[in-house]
């Protein structure tokens, strides 16, 4: 751990009218950009040029520290206060970290290293929120039939489950969800098992849990599908069914990306890169999805989107066209076409 400043007693939570947009430097991204709202319109604000390749991040609700990945070959983690002053930095011990997860008790932080196919687990100092020494690296194994994309494992998502006793990791290259079982006494991964084997060549990317049912949704990047999974208490998953993220009759090239759900668990949203749309699904009482609509994402290559129910908006990070599109969200969860586009080159992520 490389300290870069003193830690404040408590950070200041970001204003509800301010968000952040992370960008890729190789695509002309200027750094971390503040997104400001005057109540009716979003605009690009201050640029933090030293925060590079922040393709994902999480914020601690207890300390208000922001943990942001630096997605490059020599992967890194940056820890910032509310003013984006660098507090500490740490290597992720892998290449191209693209996702982070903070345990619900705030005692552990995990990252997925995409290109090297590994996950790293830090234990955090409860008082400061900073990683302790001795981070643990776990390497995935496996490959899929797509020789171009699946010649090796590619961890793409991490998330804690079972009271923080399990760290799940979705691996696009291995066509699998791994379950890393954590020893509660030591806070270290003690065993790793396959929690679910996805369809060969499907390239699973992200996992999302239903807020009220023992159901999870697995979005597959290469197959453009959402698979409904029954979540077991032992950390395993069983397939219940699958739907396409694309409209019927579409035959072009597209890759599913981000997945999110409303708080009530009645609407599911998936972004499609290539088709350049957001798919909206209705979720029935048993959690099974039914397609409602596809709405243009407002740009090219919607890598990520942020659903904000309280504001009735969705902010979509269209990476290749370089903009954050604002899509209205109706009371029924349906989307309307873009109303505003905030120009930001290489945008990859929108967060609090």
């Amino acid at each position: 751990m490389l300290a870069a400043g003193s830690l404040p007693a408590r950070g200041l939570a970001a204003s509800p009218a301010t968000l952040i947009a992370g960008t890729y430097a190789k695509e002309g991204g200027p750094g971390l950009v503040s997104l400001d709202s005057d109540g009716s319109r979003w605009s690009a604000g201050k640029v933090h040029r030293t925060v590079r390749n922040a393709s994902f991040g999480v914020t601690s609700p207890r300390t208000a520290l922001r943990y942001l990945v630096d997605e490059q070959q020599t992967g890194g983690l940056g820890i910032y206060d509310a003013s984006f002053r660098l507090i500490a930095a740490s290597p992720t011990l892998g290449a191209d970290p693209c996702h982070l997860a903070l345990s619900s008790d705030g005692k552990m932080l995990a990252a997925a290293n995409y290109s090297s196919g590994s996950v790293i687990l830090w234990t955090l100092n409860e008082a400061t929120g900073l990683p302790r020494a001795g981070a643990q690296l776990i390497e995935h194994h496996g490959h899929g039939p797509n020789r171009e994309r699946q010649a090796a494992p590619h961890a793409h998502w991490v998330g804690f489950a079972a009271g923080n006793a399990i760290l799940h990791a979705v691996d696009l290259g291995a066509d699998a969800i791994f379950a890393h079982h954590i020893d509660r006494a030591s806070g270290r991964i003690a065993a790793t098992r396959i929690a679910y084997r996805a369809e060969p060549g499907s390239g699973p990317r992200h996992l999302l849990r239903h807020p009220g049912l023992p159901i999870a949704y697995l979005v597959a990047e290469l197959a453009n599908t959402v698979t409904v999974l029954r979540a077991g208490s032992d950390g395993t998953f069983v397939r219940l069914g699958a739907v396409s993220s694309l409209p019927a009759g579409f035959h072009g090239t597209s890759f599913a990306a981000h997945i999110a759900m409303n708080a009530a668990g009645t609407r599911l949203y998936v972004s499609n890169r290539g088709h350049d749309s957001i798919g909206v699904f209705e979720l029935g009482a048993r959690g099974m999805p039914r397609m409602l609509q596809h709405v243009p994402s407002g740009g090219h290559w919607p890598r990520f989107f942020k659903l904000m129910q309280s504001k009735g908006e969705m902010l979509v990070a269209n990476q290749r066209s370089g903009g954050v599109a604002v899509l209205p969200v109706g009371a029924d969860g349906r989307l309307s076409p873009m109303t505003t586009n905030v120009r930001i080159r290489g945008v990859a992520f929108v967060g609090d």
Side-chain angles (χ1 to χ4, degrees):
M1 178 57 58
L2 195 62
S6 58
L7 183 73
R10 178 172 291 273
L12 298 176
S15 164
T18 300
L19 298 173
I20 56 173
T23 66
Y24 285 125
K26 64 182 179 182
E27 297 186 22
L32 192 73
V33 181
S34 293
L35 283 172
D36 302 323
S37 173
D38 62 6
S40 62
R41 190 177 182 87
W42 291 94
S43 60
K46 183 176 180 180
V47 178
H48 306 274
R49 299 189 182 280
T50 58
V51 186
R52 312 288 280 174
N53 305 305
S55 63
F56 196 77
V58 294
T59 301
S60 169
R62 184 173 57 86
T63 65
L65 289 178
R66 290 184 173 93
Y67 304 90
L68 298 171
V69 299
D70 182 357
E71 187 181 337
Q72 58 176 320
Q73 184 63 31
T74 304
L77 170 74
I79 304 173
Y80 302 85
D81 65 11
S83 62
F84 295 100
R85 180 171 61 102
L86 181 65
I87 300 300
S90 177
T92 64
L93 306 180
D96 298 311
C98 60
H99 197 260
L100 291 168
L102 185 66
S103 63
S104 60
D105 60 7
K107 295 180 180 180
M108 292 178 288
L109 179 72
N113 291 309
Y114 177 79
S115 293
S116 54
S118 62
V119 299
I120 182 171
L121 178 66
W122 294 273
T123 57
L124 302 179
N125 183 299
E126 293 183 54
T128 65
L130 299 181
R132 299 180 186 273
Q136 184 181 10
L137 184 73
I138 301 293
E139 295 182 348
H140 289 175
H141 299 281
H143 60 85
N146 186 320
R147 294 185 179 182
E148 181 180 356
R149 297 293 308 278
Q150 296 183 305
H154 295 301
H156 213 308
W157 179 95
V158 284
F160 290 92
N164 303 315
I166 296 175
L167 176 68
H168 282 122
V170 176
D171 196 296
L172 185 149
D175 281 329
I177 302 174
F178 292 88
H180 302 291
H181 294 261
I182 301 171
D183 177 72
R184 293 179 182 273
S186 65
R188 296 180 68 81
I189 294 169
T192 295
R193 299 181 178 88
I194 298 293
Y196 177 73
R197 290 195 181 277
E199 292 295 314
S202 61
R205 179 182 173 97
H206 279 194
L207 185 72
L208 175 69
R209 289 180 176 272
H210 193 282
L213 299 172
I215 297 290
Y217 303 88
L218 181 67
V219 62
E221 176 173 330
L222 304 183
N224 297 293
T225 56
V226 177
T227 299
V228 185
L229 304 172
R230 184 174 68 242
S233 58
D234 61 351
T236 61
F237 299 96
V238 175
R239 185 181 187 274
L240 298 178
V243 295
S244 175
S245 68
L246 296 167
F250 177 77
H251 299 294
T253 300
S254 194
F255 301 96
H258 189 53
I259 184 169
M261 187 185 307
N262 67 353
T266 58
R267 295 291 184 268
L268 184 74
Y269 304 87
V270 180
S271 66
N272 298 298
R273 297 170 298 171
H275 186 252
D276 292 340
S277 66
I278 306 296
V280 184
F281 296 84
E282 176 185 29
L283 297 178
R286 300 175 65 179
M288 301 304 292
R290 181 180 71 87
M291 178 59 70
L292 287 180
Q293 63 174 161
H294 283 88
V295 175
S297 68
H300 182 37
W301 218 251
R303 184 184 186 276
F304 187 90
F305 58 87
K306 183 171 180 59
L307 175 65
M308 297 185 295
Q309 289 180 254
S310 62
K311 290 181 66 67
E313 293 177 334
M314 175 184 286
L315 270 60
V316 184
N318 289 297
Q319 178 187 337
R320 293 187 178 175
S321 57
V324 176
V326 181
L327 276 56
V329 182
D332 61 355
R334 290 176 179 264
L335 300 177
S336 295
M338 176 185 72
T339 58
T340 304
N341 185 46
V342 183
R343 296 288 300 168
I344 301 175
R345 294 188 65 183
V347 64
F349 166 70
V350 176
D352 295 320

